[in-house]
């Protein structure tokens, strides 16, 4: 598989993670190419790697495995409980040179320490962080956060960690676990924090500066006024043949309501396509990369959920996030108009992988354990801000409802846009919409200060 050409800063980071054994956290603002670098590393490294992510959908996106599946960890707080490992799991963990974790900002401190303990235990190297495995992490804590703990789990985190973020795990900060597995002394494992800075999504310097202000929670009255003035314009009615502007909303019920109303307003009968699911794909819509039952009509506005792979090496006809209009539903194909051109879309197959160990070659390989087959389309008059992650839009209506309920939510929504001219707000931004987690501020400030001193960040300082 070919991967996009890397920029100079991406190439430098590729060499850092490929040519060293350093633990590296690669972060960056929206649109800086973190996913491109991860994909390039996965397909070009000479190391034995395992790629994982905290959720099923995130794992599918990087053709990896979920953390819990790869390490065979229990769901929920793990704390100091015994980690049971089968012989097969130990062989897999012993074969890894480099562990790649995507969307690491959604990994909590307890799970990060469980990864460390699992690798130490399986590899018999209990005095070495991650049992000697290099850990390379991708993500942006300014965009996505772990699910906050509650009840007894919250009390445990408060008693044992500075915060529930991955960067406050004991493996980084030098804390000691009661079972003695985290024998890392007082210094903790060293973590290089590197930030991609060149933004590929936006070109306007003024809009980039505004997004930076939202990202870091430094929105001045002038910036807020500029965003609100731009967003206060009434969205134009689509011209004949033009796609209506997509709405990015905070809640599923708002999105479902908008999509249902638009679909019902179209003439004709709803046609349904049920996904074909084989193997163990997990239960519930949250684990599925597309709708289990896709409902369409001719004229429906849809968004593509993955890149076009059939057109290679020609330019792809669509990419993940492309918006189009259903022209005709033909049973085995759906004809979609994109920017005046019609394309026939066939069902796509998402494969769920697991890593297996080959004792003959002493290497890791992947095998397919489940498949999800469905048209790579979703109704797209509206989409949740969370599901817009990684997408790019020329125009969007941002509906924050009663307010952004998670840190980074407003930044994610605004940073989907390529320019300020494409922003429409259902209401003016309020100060409480701009939320930044204070622990993220602390961590990123320490990392920045360490880089200025040309030294490795001591995370947790």
């Amino acid at each position: 598989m070919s991967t996009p050409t890397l920029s100079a800063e991406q190439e430098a980071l590729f060499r850092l993670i490929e040519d060293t054994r350093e633990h590296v956290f690669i972060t960056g603002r929206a649109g800086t190419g973190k996913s491109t670098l991860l994909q390039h590393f996965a397909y070009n490294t000479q190391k034995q790697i395992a790629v994982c992510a905290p959720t099923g959908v995130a794992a599918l996106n990087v053709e990896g495995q979920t953390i819990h599946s790869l390490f065979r960890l229990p769901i929920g707080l793990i704390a100091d409980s015994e980690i049971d490992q089968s012989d097969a799991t130990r062989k897999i963990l012993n074969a890894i040179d480099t562990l790649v974790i995507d969307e690491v900002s959604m990994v909590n401190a307890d799970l990060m320490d469980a990864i460390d303990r699992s690798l130490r235990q399986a590899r018999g190297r209990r005095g070495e962080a991650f049992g000697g495995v290099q850990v390379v992490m991708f993500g942006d804590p300014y965009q996505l956060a772990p699910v906050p703990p509650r009840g007894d789990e919250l009390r445990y985190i408060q008693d044992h960690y500075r915060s529930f973020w991955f960067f406050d795990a004991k493996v980084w900060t030098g804390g000691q676990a009661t079972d003695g597995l985290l024998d890392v002394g007082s210094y903790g494992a060293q973590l290089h924090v590197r930030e991609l800075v060149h933004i590929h999504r936006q070109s306007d310097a003024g809009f980039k500066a505004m997004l930076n202000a939202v990202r870091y929670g430094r929105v001045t009255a002038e910036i807020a006024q500029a965003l609100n003035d731009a967003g206060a314009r009434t969205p134009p009615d689509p011209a004949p043949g033009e796609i209506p502007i997509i709405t990015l909303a905070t809640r599923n019920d708002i999105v479902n309501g908008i999509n249902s109303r638009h679909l019902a307003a179209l003439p004709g009968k709803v046609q349904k396509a049920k996904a074909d699911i084989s193997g163990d794909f997990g239960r519930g819509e949250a684990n599925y990369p597309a709708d289990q039952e896709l409902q369409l009509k001719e004229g429906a506005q849809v968004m593509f959920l993955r890149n076009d792979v059939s057109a290679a090496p020609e330019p792809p006809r669509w990419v993940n996030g492309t918006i189009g209009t259903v022209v005709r539903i033909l049973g085995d194909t759906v004809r979609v108009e994109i920017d005046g051109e019609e394309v026939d879309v066939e069902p796509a197959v998402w494969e769920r992988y697991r890593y297996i160990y080959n004792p003959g070659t002493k290497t890791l390989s992947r095998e397919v354990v489940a498949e999800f087959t469905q048209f790579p389309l979703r109704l797209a008059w509206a989409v949740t801000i969370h599901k817009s992650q990684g997408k790019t839009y020329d125009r969007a209506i941002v509906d924050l409802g009663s307010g952004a309920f998670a840190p980074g939510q407003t930044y994610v929504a605004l940073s989907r846009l390529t320019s300020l001219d494409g922003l429409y707000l259902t209401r003016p931004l309020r100060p409480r919409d701009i939320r930044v987690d204070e622990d993220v501020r602390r961590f990123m400030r320490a990392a920045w200060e360490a880089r200025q001193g040309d030294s490795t960040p001591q995370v947790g300082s």
Side-chain angles (χ1 to χ4, degrees):
M1 176 178 176
S2 62
T3 54
T5 303
L6 298 185
S7 66
E9 67 170 353
Q10 289 171 325
E11 179 65 31
L13 282 180
F14 172 70
R15 296 267 49 109
L16 171 64
I17 59 182
E18 177 68 8
D19 298 342
T20 76
R21 302 289 304 160
E22 303 290 351
H23 304 306
V24 184
F25 170 45
I26 297 170
T27 188
R29 291 163 287 180
T32 51
K34 297 183 292 295
S35 297
T36 298
L37 177 57
L38 188 158
Q39 184 185 61
H40 181 88
F41 176 65
Y43 280 94
N44 292 279
T45 182
Q46 299 301 307
K47 298 176 179 179
Q48 286 283 300
I49 70 168
V51 182
C52 60
T55 68
V57 172
L60 287 173
N61 290 338
V62 291
E63 298 183 349
Q65 218 173 322
T66 65
I67 294 169
H68 287 85
S69 172
L70 176 62
F71 288 90
R72 292 291 185 254
L73 293 170
I75 301 298
L77 188 72
I78 299 166
D80 295 323
S81 61
E82 182 71 21
I83 295 178
D84 294 325
Q85 291 179 334
S86 67
D87 185 55
T89 298
R90 284 194 296 273
K91 286 180 178 178
I92 290 170
L93 299 185
N94 267 283
I96 299 172
D97 295 325
T98 299
L99 177 71
V100 179
I101 306 175
D102 194 27
E103 302 291 12
V104 72
S105 63
M106 299 177 70
V107 175
N108 64 44
D110 173 69
L111 182 56
M112 179 60 69
D113 278 337
I115 293 170
D116 174 48
R117 288 173 58 202
S118 296
L119 288 166
R120 291 173 192 251
Q121 180 177 312
R123 298 165 69 90
R125 298 164 72 173
R126 301 199 174 200
E128 191 172 358
F130 301 104
V133 171
Q134 178 190 27
V135 175
V136 177
M137 302 173 289
F138 292 81
D140 183 7
Y142 285 106
Q143 294 187 57
L144 291 174
V147 176
R150 297 179 180 178
D152 288 341
E153 292 190 2
L154 174 60
R155 286 185 283 274
Y156 178 89
I157 293 295
Q158 290 173 335
D159 284 344
H160 291 82
Y161 293 99
R162 185 168 181 178
S163 79
F164 62 97
W165 288 88
F166 76 94
F167 48 74
D168 280 329
K170 294 169 185 174
V171 65
W172 305 123
T173 63
Q176 299 293 318
T178 57
D179 63 0
L181 288 179
L182 288 174
D183 183 18
V184 292
S186 61
Y187 53 87
Q190 291 185 323
L191 177 62
H192 291 269
V193 182
R194 295 292 181 266
E195 186 165 3
L196 291 166
V197 297
H198 179 67
I199 298 175
H200 303 273
R201 182 174 295 147
Q202 295 93 17
S203 58
D204 178 72
F207 188 42
K208 287 182 182 179
M210 293 179 193
L211 292 178
N212 275 346
V214 175
R215 171 183 168 89
Y216 298 121
R218 300 170 185 161
V219 177
T220 63
E222 182 182 12
I223 291 173
Q225 188 67 46
L227 288 169
N228 284 330
D229 285 349
R233 296 165 299 149
T234 302
D237 292 327
E242 188 180 27
I243 291 174
I245 301 175
I246 192 170
T247 295
L248 309 182
T250 54
R251 303 200 324 259
N252 273 310
D253 59 338
I254 296 173
V255 167
N256 292 338
I258 292 172
N259 285 330
S260 296
R261 286 195 302 273
H262 279 278
L263 188 65
L266 292 174
K269 183 181 179 181
V270 170
Q271 300 195 50
K272 302 176 182 179
K274 289 189 176 182
D276 182 16
I277 306 171
S278 63
D280 181 14
F281 215 92
R283 296 180 179 178
E285 292 281 347
N287 291 307
Y288 298 153
D291 292 338
Q292 186 174 8
E293 183 179 82
L294 176 63
Q295 299 189 9
L296 294 176
K297 286 183 181 179
E298 292 182 4
Q301 180 163 305
V302 291
M303 178 175 68
F304 285 82
L305 300 176
R306 61 185 300 171
N307 295 344
D308 174 26
V309 295
S310 63
E314 299 297 326
R317 296 169 294 172
W318 64 79
V319 296
N320 185 6
T322 294
I323 304 293
T325 303
V326 174
V327 176
R328 191 169 300 128
I329 302 170
L330 304 170
D332 292 338
T333 61
V334 176
R335 186 163 295 167
V336 179
E337 182 182 330
I338 305 170
D339 294 332
E341 295 188 11
E342 296 183 4
V343 297
D344 286 335
V345 183
E346 298 177 343
V349 180
W350 285 265
E351 297 173 325
R352 173 156 285 179
Y353 296 96
R354 73 176 174 196
Y355 288 93
I356 57 174
Y357 177 70
N358 185 325
T361 59
K362 297 183 179 179
T363 58
L364 286 179
S365 60
R366 295 181 306 171
E367 68 175 7
V368 176
V369 295
E371 292 184 344
F372 184 101
T373 305
Q374 177 61 287
F375 290 102
L377 302 169
R378 172 182 286 138
L379 293 178
W381 287 285
V383 66
T384 61
I385 293 171
H386 183 78
K387 288 183 179 177
S388 75
Q389 193 83 20
K391 309 293 193 300
T392 300
Y393 306 111
D394 292 329
R395 303 185 303 171
I397 300 168
V398 176
D399 182 356
L400 294 174
S402 58
F405 58 80
Q409 199 169 42
T410 300
Y411 172 66
V412 170
L414 298 180
S415 61
R416 300 309 96 199
L417 290 158
T418 56
S419 72
L420 186 62
D421 290 338
L423 173 64
Y424 299 90
L425 296 168
T426 59
R427 64 160 176 80
L429 292 174
R430 304 165 184 159
R432 64 176 177 270
D433 293 324
I434 313 299
R435 300 179 57 188
V436 180
D437 189 285
E438 288 303 319
D439 290 303
V440 172
R441 286 188 202 267
R442 163 178 57 83
F443 167 68
M444 294 300 288
R445 186 184 304 115
W448 183 85
E449 291 172 351
R451 284 201 302 276
Q452 303 313 300
D454 195 28
S455 63
T456 302
Q458 296 298 311
V459 179
S461 60

